[in-house]
Amino acid sequence: MLTAHRISASLAVRSLQHANRRTNFFIVLILVLLIINLLLLSSIIDNIDQATGDQIIDHQYGHMFLEPEESEEIFENPQSYVRTLRNIPGVIGVSPHFVVQTIVVADQKSSATEVHFIDPVYEETVTQKSRFIIDGNYLGTHDETGIILGSEKAGGPGTQFPRLSLGGVNVGDEVVMLFGNDKSQRFDVRGVFFTKLIDADFYIYANEAQMASIYGRDLSDLVNQIVVRIDPSLTSEQSVIDQMRSKGYDGNYFITRESQGFVLTETLFVIKIIILIVSLLVSSGSLFITMYINVFSRKKFYGVLQAIGVPYSIVILSTVYQSLFLVCSASILAVIILYFVLVPYFAAYPLDLPFAFVSLSIDPSSIAMSIFFFFLLAIISSLLPLWSLYKNGIINLIR
Amino acid sequence: MESSTSYGNLLTTRDLKKHYLVGSVRNDVLRGIYLQINRGEFVGLKGPSGSGKSTLLYQLGLLDTPDEGEIIFDGVKTSLMDHHQRQVTRLTKMGFIFQNYALLPELSTLENVMLPGLSCGKDRSHVESRARQIIELVGLIGKMHDTPDHLSGGEQQRVSIARSIINQPTILFADEPCANLDTVSSKKVMDVLKHLNEHFGLTILMVSHDLSNFSYASRIIEVVDGLVVNRMK
């Protein structure tokens, strides 16, 4: 059997050496394009999903967030929740929010909106709004009357939903907020942020220092949402939730990636499957045609082998080795192009989608699966024409 | 090579028939062939174009399967052989020379000759040493590492002969071995065949158009319209 492998490998090498270099080059090129096509589209879709999740984590909820039980409106003893969360290894940021519905009145118009009262320092440990200020500044610790708001809520040129905006407020403008307890409060616009995440760009953040004058309480005991950032290399959301529950801290715990944007995730998954199936069919068809032509162009070679009595096993193995060599070369080239050309290119010039910048990161397991698929397909698509050739009879092959 | 001195019946056919369909038209190429070839004979197969001589050679060489009739090779009915047995018989007991040489263009002279030997599972060094001897025998010692595209037609046919005898076959089938060769090359090829027959007792069945080639044969069989019409010494 070892001899058969040696003869087959030797025949395969000789065939590849003797074959027209351009033909081999074009076969490999076609295979490279098919492999990249198979990986690129599904990876981009995966990255869109990933980027959307990252946006929600970075600009809205962190990796996970907590809300009081259905029957409660606020957390009982929120400081205890916050302290306990901060002590869990792997938790790198915890920011309590008090979220209320208000009517915000600006010069031009008014708009109902959610306002998040936050501690600006704690908030920076979870979300990244401070890095996405496009006008003005982030909230200062002692800035009691300042607010920052998203570009969609501020309104003005380029706003996607002008009817829901404040019609174009700018840094330095004054707005009045009307709260549910009939209190009203003046605030100064300190900064406008733009995150590309439409939901986040409708948010308004106010300093918790103003809460006392409106509600007579501050974030130390008036909290209805806690957002949490973790270091995923050290812990997981579920682990944090389990630890909190085991310590008796009830509430509604949400893992952001699972609870937010799931409609998009599901949609993208369906699109990905459709694209994957189409890509697989196109790849299978193209690979089959390529291998079919490759085998049929050498029908005399196979006829001679058969005529002089070379065992089928040697002929089959020789064909398989040739196909594997071509796929192997194409796979190596495809991986080089992906990792050294496309990934760096997308890192430097990410796709500018309306809701996020999407770069390209390819899961090694996807590459392994695709290459395995191509190896399998190459074997099948070279053996099928061989079988078809042999049915023609030796005489037809050697003539 | 060692000389084979055993004589007697090697190949027999009984009522061998073969037809081909060209579109819907049936063409009966062999219409009931009876023949017998003995060990050590050099048999020439002659006949006009389309008489069925090449078709007959392919049936006898197990390259094709007859529709009816029987071929008995070395005491075995070939109709009872499965694909594997036919392949092994072709590899170990038969040698083939084709009009177009049928060498593998990617292999050198030495590799082409060694291939059937290695395919038998024989030891590589033994096969190589034997291949070198045979290549010397056919006068191509200087062309050992040349690929077929660097050889003349006559040289390619001699490589083909060398390849066909590497496994010491019982019979050699030659289909128009000199059809594409000039007179000098033809003579060299025919001399090699005669040498193999006379010195090593190799049975040869040769199809040819060229009547001069039959002077090398010990017996001539004439096929016309798919039937054996004449057997001449």
Side-chain angles (χ1 to χ4, degrees), chain A residues 7 14 298 304 306 309 398, chain B residues 87 90 100 102 106 111 118:
Chain A
I7 299 170
R14 282 281 187 274
R298 305 177 66 246
V304 171
Q306 230 187 330
I398 57 174
Chain B
Q87 172 253 310
R90 283 200 303 274
N100 56 10
E106 41 274 89
E111 290 165 335
L118 293 173

Side-chain angles (χ1 to χ4, degrees), chain B residues 85-158:
Chain B
Q85 287 168 321
R86 290 166 72 89
Q87 172 253 310
V88 171
T89 304
R90 283 200 303 274
L91 179 65
T92 57
K93 294 187 173 179
M94 295 174 171
F96 295 92
I97 306 169
F98 299 98
Q99 183 178 337
N100 56 10
Y101 326 125
L103 296 174
L104 298 181
E106 41 274 89
L107 302 185
S108 69
T109 296
L110 183 63
E111 290 165 335
N112 261 298
V113 175
M114 284 173 68
L115 182 61
L118 293 173
S119 298
C120 283
K122 290 175 183 167
D123 174 62
R124 187 178 180 85
S125 58
H126 169 74
V127 172
E128 184 170 341
S129 143
R130 183 170 161 73
R132 285 178 184 278
Q133 285 173 23
I134 296 171
I135 291 168
E136 191 176 356
L137 179 76
V138 298
L140 291 172
I141 193 77
K143 307 278 185 180
M144 200 75 79
H145 301 291
D146 290 359
T147 49
D149 53 350
H150 291 98
L151 301 175
S152 69
E155 288 168 337
Q156 288 190 55
Q157 195 59 292
R158 281 184 280 154

Side-chain angles (χ1 to χ4, degrees), chain B residues 1-206:
Chain B
M1 278 188 72
E2 288 171 16
S3 172
S4 167
T5 52
S6 56
Y7 292 94
N9 184 9
L10 176 65
L11 187 61
T12 305
T13 69
R14 289 181 195 142
D15 196 21
L16 205 61
K17 291 179 182 171
K18 180 75 182 177
H19 80 276
Y20 293 111
L21 286 174
V22 182
S24 56
V25 180
R26 181 187 169 101
N27 181 13
D28 289 300
V29 186
L30 302 179
R31 298 191 297 142
I33 297 278
Y34 290 84
L35 63 80
Q36 181 175 315
I37 293 167
N38 295 321
R39 291 176 196 275
E41 277 193 303
F42 190 149
V43 178
L45 206 54
K46 70 178 234 184
S49 275
S51 60
K53 44 190 197 306
S54 287
T55 302
L56 175 59
L57 194 82
Y58 298 149
Q59 315 305 309
L60 301 177
L62 308 185
L63 299 175
D64 201 0
T65 319
D67 301 330
E68 286 178 49
E70 192 63 76
I71 299 169
I72 300 161
F73 175 71
D74 211 8
V76 178
K77 286 184 176 177
T78 60
S79 58
L80 301 177
M81 292 178 176
D82 60 20
H83 274 285
H84 176 67
Q85 287 168 321
R86 290 166 72 89
Q87 172 253 310
V88 171
T89 304
R90 283 200 303 274
L91 179 65
T92 57
K93 294 187 173 179
M94 295 174 171
F96 295 92
I97 306 169
F98 299 98
Q99 183 178 337
N100 56 10
Y101 326 125
L103 296 174
L104 298 181
E106 41 274 89
L107 302 185
S108 69
T109 296
L110 183 63
E111 290 165 335
N112 261 298
V113 175
M114 284 173 68
L115 182 61
L118 293 173
S119 298
C120 283
K122 290 175 183 167
D123 174 62
R124 187 178 180 85
S125 58
H126 169 74
V127 172
E128 184 170 341
S129 143
R130 183 170 161 73
R132 285 178 184 278
Q133 285 173 23
I134 296 171
I135 291 168
E136 191 176 356
L137 179 76
V138 298
L140 291 172
I141 193 77
K143 307 278 185 180
M144 200 75 79
H145 301 291
D146 290 359
T147 49
D149 53 350
H150 291 98
L151 301 175
S152 69
E155 288 168 337
Q156 288 190 55
Q157 195 59 292
R158 281 184 280 154
V159 175
S160 174
I161 294 171
R163 180 183 66 185
S164 71
I165 59 174
I166 184 82
N167 286 335
Q168 293 178 281
T170 318
I171 187 167
L172 182 63
F173 295 101
D175 184 15
E176 304 272 13
C178 304
N180 296 330
L181 304 180
D182 57 39
T183 317
V184 176
S185 299
S186 290
K187 186 173 181 316
K188 281 184 182 170
V189 167
M190 290 309 299
D191 285 344
V192 170
L193 292 178
K194 187 69 181 169
H195 181 79
L196 292 172
N197 175 251
E198 285 183 349
H199 290 82
F200 304 110
L202 181 63
T203 311
I204 297 175
L205 179 60
M206 177 187 71

